[in-house]
PDB file of all heavy atoms in Angstrom:
ATOM      1  N   ALA A   1      91.297 112.217  92.109  1.00  0.00           N
ATOM      2  CA  ALA A   1      91.495 111.255  93.213  1.00  0.00           C
ATOM      3  C   ALA A   1      92.951 111.316  93.638  1.00  0.00           C
ATOM      4  O   ALA A   1      93.873 111.061  92.877  1.00  0.00           O
ATOM      5  CB  ALA A   1      91.139 109.840  92.757  1.00  0.00           C
ATOM      6  N   PHE A   2      93.163 111.669  94.934  1.00  0.00           N
ATOM      7  CA  PHE A   2      94.504 111.712  95.523  1.00  0.00           C
ATOM      8  C   PHE A   2      94.699 110.483  96.398  1.00  0.00           C
ATOM      9  O   PHE A   2      93.820 110.063  97.128  1.00  0.00           O
ATOM     10  CB  PHE A   2      94.639 112.963  96.381  1.00  0.00           C
ATOM     11  CG  PHE A   2      94.743 114.235  95.614  1.00  0.00           C
ATOM     12  CD1 PHE A   2      93.595 114.820  95.012  1.00  0.00           C
ATOM     13  CD2 PHE A   2      95.972 114.888  95.461  1.00  0.00           C
ATOM     14  CE1 PHE A   2      93.687 115.991  94.273  1.00  0.00           C
ATOM     15  CE2 PHE A   2      96.050 116.066  94.751  1.00  0.00           C
ATOM     16  CZ  PHE A   2      94.933 116.617  94.144  1.00  0.00           C
ATOM     17  N   ALA A   3      95.897 109.923  96.327  1.00  0.00           N
ATOM     18  CA  ALA A   3      96.239 108.753  97.156  1.00  0.00           C
ATOM     19  C   ALA A   3      97.544 108.970  97.859  1.00  0.00           C
ATOM     20  O   ALA A   3      98.524 109.442  97.246  1.00  0.00           O
ATOM     21  CB  ALA A   3      96.287 107.478  96.334  1.00  0.00           C
ATOM     22  N   ALA A   4      97.586 108.672  99.159  1.00  0.00           N
ATOM     23  CA  ALA A   4      98.856 108.657  99.873  1.00  0.00           C
ATOM     24  C   ALA A   4      99.716 107.486  99.356  1.00  0.00           C
ATOM     25  O   ALA A   4      99.216 106.472  98.870  1.00  0.00           O
ATOM     26  CB  ALA A   4      98.646 108.508 101.356  1.00  0.00           C
ATOM     27  N   GLU A   5     101.017 107.639  99.442  1.00  0.00           N
ATOM     28  CA  GLU A   5     101.969 106.692  98.824  1.00  0.00           C
ATOM     29  C   GLU A   5     101.775 105.246  99.415  1.00  0.00           C
ATOM     30  O   GLU A   5     102.092 104.288  98.728  1.00  0.00           O
ATOM     31  CB  GLU A   5     103.386 107.146  99.064  1.00  0.00           C
ATOM     32  CG  GLU A   5     103.753 108.392  98.295  1.00  0.00           C
ATOM     33  CD  GLU A   5     105.112 108.978  98.709  1.00  0.00           C
ATOM     34  OE1 GLU A   5     105.487 108.802  99.873  1.00  0.00           O
ATOM     35  OE2 GLU A   5     105.727 109.612  97.840  1.00  0.00           O
ATOM     36  N   ASN A   6     101.301 105.144 100.619  1.00  0.00           N
ATOM     37  CA  ASN A   6     101.197 103.818 101.287  1.00  0.00           C
ATOM     38  C   ASN A   6      99.884 103.088 100.994  1.00  0.00           C
ATOM     39  O   ASN A   6      99.652 102.005 101.531  1.00  0.00           O
ATOM     40  CB  ASN A   6     101.368 103.967 102.773  1.00  0.00           C
ATOM     41  CG  ASN A   6     100.209 104.700 103.437  1.00  0.00           C
ATOM     42  OD1 ASN A   6      99.472 105.424 102.773  1.00  0.00           O
ATOM     43  ND2 ASN A   6     100.041 104.534 104.757  1.00  0.00           N
ATOM     44  N   THR A   7      99.013 103.644 100.168  1.00  0.00           N
ATOM     45  CA  THR A   7      97.685 103.141  99.999  1.00  0.00           C
ATOM     46  C   THR A   7      97.655 101.844  99.197  1.00  0.00           C
ATOM     47  O   THR A   7      98.390 101.699  98.225  1.00  0.00           O
ATOM     48  CB  THR A   7      96.775 104.169  99.328  1.00  0.00           C
ATOM     49  OG1 THR A   7      96.963 105.434  99.956  1.00  0.00           O
ATOM     50  CG2 THR A   7      95.300 103.777  99.435  1.00  0.00           C
ATOM     51  N   LYS A   8      96.809 100.902  99.635  1.00  0.00           N
ATOM     52  CA  LYS A   8      96.576  99.644  98.911  1.00  0.00           C
ATOM     53  C   LYS A   8      95.110  99.611  98.403  1.00  0.00           C
ATOM     54  O   LYS A   8      94.194 100.113  99.078  1.00  0.00           O
ATOM     55  CB  LYS A   8      96.813  98.418  99.821  1.00  0.00           C
ATOM     56  CG  LYS A   8      98.202  98.396 100.439  1.00  0.00           C
ATOM     57  CD  LYS A   8      99.270  98.234  99.400  1.00  0.00           C
ATOM     58  CE  LYS A   8     100.672  98.117 100.044  1.00  0.00           C
ATOM     59  NZ  LYS A   8     101.756  98.070  99.044  1.00  0.00           N
ATOM     60  N   PHE A   9      94.938  98.995  97.238  1.00  0.00           N
ATOM     61  CA  PHE A   9      93.636  98.957  96.586  1.00  0.00           C
ATOM     62  C   PHE A   9      93.286  97.517  96.254  1.00  0.00           C
ATOM     63  O   PHE A   9      94.098  96.818  95.645  1.00  0.00           O
ATOM     64  CB  PHE A   9      93.635  99.785  95.297  1.00  0.00           C
ATOM     65  CG  PHE A   9      94.009 101.223  95.488  1.00  0.00           C
ATOM     66  CD1 PHE A   9      95.333 101.610  95.640  1.00  0.00           C
ATOM     67  CD2 PHE A   9      93.019 102.208  95.530  1.00  0.00           C
ATOM     68  CE1 PHE A   9      95.697 102.944  95.806  1.00  0.00           C
ATOM     69  CE2 PHE A   9      93.390 103.540  95.714  1.00  0.00           C
ATOM     70  CZ  PHE A   9      94.713 103.939  95.857  1.00  0.00           C
ATOM     71  N   ALA A  10      92.093  97.063  96.609  1.00  0.00           N
ATOM     72  CA  ALA A  10      91.688  95.685  96.315  1.00  0.00           C
ATOM     73  C   ALA A  10      90.173  95.567  96.319  1.00  0.00           C
ATOM     74  O   ALA A  10      89.481  96.343  97.018  1.00  0.00           O
ATOM     75  CB  ALA A  10      92.268  94.732  97.358  1.00  0.00           C
ATOM     76  N   THR A  11      89.651  94.629  95.533  1.00  0.00           N
ATOM     77  CA  THR A  11      88.208  94.373  95.548  1.00  0.00           C
ATOM     78  C   THR A  11      87.873  93.452  96.734  1.00  0.00           C
ATOM     79  O   THR A  11      87.025  93.804  97.535  1.00  0.00           O
ATOM     80  CB  THR A  11      87.738  93.752  94.218  1.00  0.00           C
ATOM     81  OG1 THR A  11      88.451  92.584  93.960  1.00  0.00           O
ATOM     82  CG2 THR A  11      87.951  94.749  93.057  1.00  0.00           C
ATOM     83  N   GLY A  12      88.505  92.299  96.804  1.00  0.00           N
ATOM     84  CA  GLY A  12      88.337  91.447  97.967  1.00  0.00           C
ATOM     85  C   GLY A  12      87.038  90.632  98.048  1.00  0.00           C
ATOM     86  O   GLY A  12      86.825  89.908  99.013  1.00  0.00           O
ATOM     87  N   PHE A  13      86.186  90.773  97.053  1.00  0.00           N
ATOM     88  CA  PHE A  13      84.852  90.125  97.154  1.00  0.00           C
ATOM     89  C   PHE A  13      84.951  88.572  97.052  1.00  0.00           C
ATOM     90  O   PHE A  13      84.299  87.890  97.786  1.00  0.00           O
ATOM     91  CB  PHE A  13      83.936  90.618  96.018  1.00  0.00           C
ATOM     92  CG  PHE A  13      83.717  92.086  96.040  1.00  0.00           C
ATOM     93  CD1 PHE A  13      84.161  92.907  95.020  1.00  0.00           C
ATOM     94  CD2 PHE A  13      83.055  92.684  97.108  1.00  0.00           C
ATOM     95  CE1 PHE A  13      83.938  94.284  95.048  1.00  0.00           C
ATOM     96  CE2 PHE A  13      82.837  94.038  97.162  1.00  0.00           C
ATOM     97  CZ  PHE A  13      83.267  94.833  96.125  1.00  0.00           C
ATOM     98  N   ALA A  14      85.817  88.081  96.159  1.00  0.00           N
ATOM     99  CA  ALA A  14      85.864  86.631  95.945  1.00  0.00           C
ATOM    100  C   ALA A  14      86.313  85.896  97.214  1.00  0.00           C
ATOM    101  O   ALA A  14      85.871  84.796  97.468  1.00  0.00           O
ATOM    102  CB  ALA A  14      86.811  86.308  94.783  1.00  0.00           C
ATOM    103  N   ALA A  15      87.143  86.534  98.011  1.00  0.00           N
ATOM    104  CA  ALA A  15      87.608  85.911  99.255  1.00  0.00           C
ATOM    105  C   ALA A  15      86.447  85.646 100.235  1.00  0.00           C
ATOM    106  O   ALA A  15      86.538  84.797 101.119  1.00  0.00           O
ATOM    107  CB  ALA A  15      88.659  86.766  99.924  1.00  0.00           C
ATOM    108  N   LEU A  16      85.381  86.426 100.044  1.00  0.00           N
ATOM    109  CA  LEU A  16      84.203  86.279 100.892  1.00  0.00           C
ATOM    110  C   LEU A  16      83.086  85.536 100.207  1.00  0.00           C
ATOM    111  O   LEU A  16      81.979  85.406 100.755  1.00  0.00           O
ATOM    112  CB  LEU A  16      83.684  87.669 101.314  1.00  0.00           C
ATOM    113  CG  LEU A  16      84.634  88.538 102.143  1.00  0.00           C
ATOM    114  CD1 LEU A  16      84.077  89.930 102.304  1.00  0.00           C
ATOM    115  CD2 LEU A  16      84.889  87.904 103.495  1.00  0.00           C
ATOM    116  N   GLY A  17      83.322  85.051  99.001  1.00  0.00           N
ATOM    117  CA  GLY A  17      82.301  84.362  98.245  1.00  0.00           C
ATOM    118  C   GLY A  17      81.205  85.294  97.785  1.00  0.00           C
ATOM    119  O   GLY A  17      80.053  84.861  97.538  1.00  0.00           O
ATOM    120  N   LEU A  18      81.540  86.540  97.550  1.00  0.00           N
ATOM    121  CA  LEU A  18      80.558  87.531  97.128  1.00  0.00           C
ATOM    122  C   LEU A  18      80.929  88.092  95.776  1.00  0.00           C
ATOM    123  O   LEU A  18      82.080  88.038  95.317  1.00  0.00           O
ATOM    124  CB  LEU A  18      80.467  88.685  98.147  1.00  0.00           C
ATOM    125  CG  LEU A  18      80.009  88.293  99.555  1.00  0.00           C
ATOM    126  CD1 LEU A  18      80.133  89.461 100.502  1.00  0.00           C
ATOM    127  CD2 LEU A  18      78.569  87.753  99.514  1.00  0.00           C
ATOM    128  N   SER A  19      79.954  88.690  95.073  1.00  0.00           N
ATOM    129  CA  SER A  19      80.181  89.155  93.699  1.00  0.00           C
ATOM    130  C   SER A  19      80.553  90.633  93.627  1.00  0.00           C
ATOM    131  O   SER A  19      81.129  91.069  92.597  1.00  0.00           O
ATOM    132  CB  SER A  19      78.892  88.924  92.843  1.00  0.00           C
ATOM    133  OG  SER A  19      77.789  89.555  93.482  1.00  0.00           O
ATOM    134  N   GLY A  20      80.218  91.393  94.655  1.00  0.00           N
ATOM    135  CA  GLY A  20      80.703  92.809  94.648  1.00  0.00           C
ATOM    136  C   GLY A  20      79.570  93.806  94.607  1.00  0.00           C
ATOM    137  O   GLY A  20      78.459  93.527  94.225  1.00  0.00           O
ATOM    138  N   ASP A  21      79.900  95.033  95.020  1.00  0.00           N
ATOM    139  CA  ASP A  21      78.964  96.144  95.042  1.00  0.00           C
ATOM    140  C   ASP A  21      79.774  97.428  94.869  1.00  0.00           C
ATOM    141  O   ASP A  21      80.931  97.406  94.438  1.00  0.00           O
ATOM    142  CB  ASP A  21      78.171  96.139  96.354  1.00  0.00           C
ATOM    143  CG  ASP A  21      79.019  96.463  97.570  1.00  0.00           C
ATOM    144  OD1 ASP A  21      80.144  95.943  97.661  1.00  0.00           O
ATOM    145  OD2 ASP A  21      78.564  97.229  98.464  1.00  0.00           O
ATOM    146  N   GLY A  22      79.154  98.578  95.170  1.00  0.00           N
ATOM    147  CA  GLY A  22      79.869  99.832  95.120  1.00  0.00           C
ATOM    148  C   GLY A  22      80.153 100.316  93.718  1.00  0.00           C
ATOM    149  O   GLY A  22      80.969 101.215  93.550  1.00  0.00           O
ATOM    150  N   GLY A  23      79.479  99.765  92.738  1.00  0.00           N
ATOM    151  CA  GLY A  23      79.710 100.205  91.334  1.00  0.00           C
ATOM    152  C   GLY A  23      80.963  99.620  90.723  1.00  0.00           C
ATOM    153  O   GLY A  23      81.343 100.017  89.640  1.00  0.00           O
ATOM    154  N   ASN A  24      81.605  98.667  91.390  1.00  0.00           N
ATOM    155  CA  ASN A  24      82.853  98.118  90.868  1.00  0.00           C
ATOM    156  C   ASN A  24      82.698  97.554  89.454  1.00  0.00           C
ATOM    157  O   ASN A  24      83.561  97.737  88.606  1.00  0.00           O
ATOM    158  CB  ASN A  24      83.389  97.042  91.817  1.00  0.00           C
ATOM    159  CG  ASN A  24      84.222  97.632  92.956  1.00  0.00           C
ATOM    160  OD1 ASN A  24      85.402  97.921  92.801  1.00  0.00           O
ATOM    161  ND2 ASN A  24      83.604  97.790  94.104  1.00  0.00           N
ATOM    162  N   SER A  25      81.631  96.796  89.230  1.00  0.00           N
ATOM    163  CA  SER A  25      81.502  96.136  87.942  1.00  0.00           C
ATOM    164  C   SER A  25      81.218  97.116  86.810  1.00  0.00           C
ATOM    165  O   SER A  25      81.412  96.785  85.619  1.00  0.00           O
ATOM    166  CB  SER A  25      80.360  95.107  87.971  1.00  0.00           C
ATOM    167  OG  SER A  25      79.116  95.713  88.261  1.00  0.00           O
ATOM    168  N   TRP A  26      80.797  98.347  87.135  1.00  0.00           N
ATOM    169  CA  TRP A  26      80.525  99.365  86.128  1.00  0.00           C
ATOM    170  C   TRP A  26      81.743 100.238  85.916  1.00  0.00           C
ATOM    171  O   TRP A  26      82.163 100.520  84.798  1.00  0.00           O
ATOM    172  CB  TRP A  26      79.314 100.188  86.530  1.00  0.00           C
ATOM    173  CG  TRP A  26      78.768 101.037  85.419  1.00  0.00           C
ATOM    174  CD1 TRP A  26      77.875 100.665  84.462  1.00  0.00           C
ATOM    175  CD2 TRP A  26      79.064 102.414  85.157  1.00  0.00           C
ATOM    176  NE1 TRP A  26      77.609 101.730  83.615  1.00  0.00           N
ATOM    177  CE2 TRP A  26      78.304 102.831  84.040  1.00  0.00           C
ATOM    178  CE3 TRP A  26      79.888 103.369  85.791  1.00  0.00           C
ATOM    179  CZ2 TRP A  26      78.354 104.113  83.543  1.00  0.00           C
ATOM    180  CZ3 TRP A  26      79.925 104.640  85.278  1.00  0.00           C
ATOM    181  CH2 TRP A  26      79.181 105.005  84.152  1.00  0.00           C
ATOM    182  N   PHE A  27      82.324 100.705  87.010  1.00  0.00           N
ATOM    183  CA  PHE A  27      83.433 101.643  86.922  1.00  0.00           C
ATOM    184  C   PHE A  27      84.743 100.980  86.479  1.00  0.00           C
ATOM    185  O   PHE A  27      85.485 101.521  85.676  1.00  0.00           O
ATOM    186  CB  PHE A  27      83.653 102.334  88.244  1.00  0.00           C
ATOM    187  CG  PHE A  27      82.674 103.449  88.541  1.00  0.00           C
ATOM    188  CD1 PHE A  27      81.633 103.250  89.416  1.00  0.00           C
ATOM    189  CD2 PHE A  27      82.805 104.709  87.952  1.00  0.00           C
ATOM    190  CE1 PHE A  27      80.734 104.274  89.707  1.00  0.00           C
ATOM    191  CE2 PHE A  27      81.903 105.713  88.211  1.00  0.00           C
ATOM    192  CZ  PHE A  27      80.861 105.491  89.084  1.00  0.00           C
ATOM    193  N   LEU A  28      85.074  99.828  87.076  1.00  0.00           N
ATOM    194  CA  LEU A  28      86.361  99.256  86.824  1.00  0.00           C
ATOM    195  C   LEU A  28      86.671  98.970  85.364  1.00  0.00           C
ATOM    196  O   LEU A  28      87.752  99.350  84.878  1.00  0.00           O
ATOM    197  CB  LEU A  28      86.548  97.971  87.661  1.00  0.00           C
ATOM    198  CG  LEU A  28      87.065  98.138  89.071  1.00  0.00           C
ATOM    199  CD1 LEU A  28      87.091  96.810  89.818  1.00  0.00           C
ATOM    200  CD2 LEU A  28      88.464  98.812  89.083  1.00  0.00           C
ATOM    201  N   PRO A  29      85.784  98.304  84.610  1.00  0.00           N
ATOM    202  CA  PRO A  29      86.100  98.093  83.200  1.00  0.00           C
ATOM    203  C   PRO A  29      86.283  99.367  82.441  1.00  0.00           C
ATOM    204  O   PRO A  29      87.094  99.415  81.485  1.00  0.00           O
ATOM    205  CB  PRO A  29      84.882  97.316  82.677  1.00  0.00           C
ATOM    206  CG  PRO A  29      84.254  96.716  83.880  1.00  0.00           C
ATOM    207  CD  PRO A  29      84.516  97.710  84.977  1.00  0.00           C
ATOM    208  N   ARG A  30      85.600 100.437  82.833  1.00  0.00           N
ATOM    209  CA  ARG A  30      85.714 101.676  82.120  1.00  0.00           C
ATOM    210  C   ARG A  30      87.003 102.435  82.498  1.00  0.00           C
ATOM    211  O   ARG A  30      87.564 103.164  81.667  1.00  0.00           O
ATOM    212  CB  ARG A  30      84.501 102.581  82.420  1.00  0.00           C
ATOM    213  CG  ARG A  30      83.238 102.053  81.766  1.00  0.00           C
ATOM    214  CD  ARG A  30      81.974 102.675  82.349  1.00  0.00           C
ATOM    215  NE  ARG A  30      80.829 102.374  81.540  1.00  0.00           N
ATOM    216  CZ  ARG A  30      80.137 101.227  81.613  1.00  0.00           C
ATOM    217  NH1 ARG A  30      80.507 100.292  82.438  1.00  0.00           N
ATOM    218  NH2 ARG A  30      79.056 101.042  80.843  1.00  0.00           N
ATOM    219  N   LEU A  31      87.458 102.272  83.742  1.00  0.00           N
ATOM    220  CA  LEU A  31      88.660 102.965  84.178  1.00  0.00           C
ATOM    221  C   LEU A  31      89.930 102.220  83.841  1.00  0.00           C
ATOM    222  O   LEU A  31      90.928 102.852  83.450  1.00  0.00           O
ATOM    223  CB  LEU A  31      88.590 103.191  85.690  1.00  0.00           C
ATOM    224  CG  LEU A  31      87.572 104.232  86.195  1.00  0.00           C
ATOM    225  CD1 LEU A  31      87.483 104.193  87.724  1.00  0.00           C
ATOM    226  CD2 LEU A  31      87.932 105.616  85.723  1.00  0.00           C
ATOM    227  N   VAL A  32      89.938 100.884  84.040  1.00  0.00           N
ATOM    228  CA  VAL A  32      91.189 100.148  83.841  1.00  0.00           C
ATOM    229  C   VAL A  32      91.147  99.160  82.698  1.00  0.00           C
ATOM    230  O   VAL A  32      92.164  98.547  82.348  1.00  0.00           O
ATOM    231  CB  VAL A  32      91.547  99.380  85.154  1.00  0.00           C
ATOM    232  CG1 VAL A  32      91.568 100.338  86.335  1.00  0.00           C
ATOM    233  CG2 VAL A  32      90.592  98.231  85.428  1.00  0.00           C
ATOM    234  N   GLY A  33      89.980  98.972  82.084  1.00  0.00           N
ATOM    235  CA  GLY A  33      89.824  98.001  81.010  1.00  0.00           C
ATOM    236  C   GLY A  33      89.309  96.673  81.531  1.00  0.00           C
ATOM    237  O   GLY A  33      89.506  96.311  82.697  1.00  0.00           O
ATOM    238  N   PRO A  34      88.631  95.885  80.717  1.00  0.00           N
ATOM    239  CA  PRO A  34      88.005  94.630  81.163  1.00  0.00           C
ATOM    240  C   PRO A  34      89.014  93.589  81.665  1.00  0.00           C
ATOM    241  O   PRO A  34      88.712  92.859  82.611  1.00  0.00           O
ATOM    242  CB  PRO A  34      87.212  94.155  79.959  1.00  0.00           C
ATOM    243  CG  PRO A  34      87.821  94.865  78.765  1.00  0.00           C
ATOM    244  CD  PRO A  34      88.285  96.155  79.275  1.00  0.00           C
ATOM    245  N   ARG A  35      90.167  93.506  81.031  1.00  0.00           N
ATOM    246  CA  ARG A  35      91.141  92.462  81.442  1.00  0.00           C
ATOM    247  C   ARG A  35      91.700  92.784  82.834  1.00  0.00           C
ATOM    248  O   ARG A  35      91.840  91.903  83.710  1.00  0.00           O
ATOM    249  CB  ARG A  35      92.271  92.357  80.430  1.00  0.00           C
ATOM    250  CG  ARG A  35      91.882  91.799  79.067  1.00  0.00           C
ATOM    251  CD  ARG A  35      91.319  90.401  79.216  1.00  0.00           C
ATOM    252  NE  ARG A  35      91.046  89.825  77.920  1.00  0.00           N
ATOM    253  CZ  ARG A  35      90.366  88.713  77.700  1.00  0.00           C
ATOM    254  NH1 ARG A  35      89.868  88.041  78.779  1.00  0.00           N
ATOM    255  NH2 ARG A  35      90.146  88.243  76.500  1.00  0.00           N
ATOM    256  N   ARG A  36      92.049  94.027  83.073  1.00  0.00           N
ATOM    257  CA  ARG A  36      92.585  94.401  84.395  1.00  0.00           C
ATOM    258  C   ARG A  36      91.474  94.318  85.446  1.00  0.00           C
ATOM    259  O   ARG A  36      91.753  93.933  86.604  1.00  0.00           O
ATOM    260  CB  ARG A  36      93.191  95.777  84.310  1.00  0.00           C
ATOM    261  CG  ARG A  36      94.579  95.778  83.661  1.00  0.00           C
ATOM    262  CD  ARG A  36      95.150  97.154  83.565  1.00  0.00           C
ATOM    263  NE  ARG A  36      96.603  97.094  83.333  1.00  0.00           N
ATOM    264  CZ  ARG A  36      97.379  98.153  83.181  1.00  0.00           C
ATOM    265  NH1 ARG A  36      96.852  99.389  83.227  1.00  0.00           N
ATOM    266  NH2 ARG A  36      98.692  98.030  82.972  1.00  0.00           N
ATOM    267  N   ALA A  37      90.258  94.664  85.061  1.00  0.00           N
ATOM    268  CA  ALA A  37      89.151  94.543  85.998  1.00  0.00           C
ATOM    269  C   ALA A  37      89.007  93.052  86.407  1.00  0.00           C
ATOM    270  O   ALA A  37      88.752  92.754  87.603  1.00  0.00           O
ATOM    271  CB  ALA A  37      87.859  95.064  85.396  1.00  0.00           C
TER     272      ALA A  37
END
């Protein structure tokens, strides 16, 4: 995964009152750990 220096990353689901999709709940704990997720 390549990222340009100006890139921002966010889930953003809670701001919409939603729980999330796109595999976030599966990938994030495995990639960054449960606390950071």
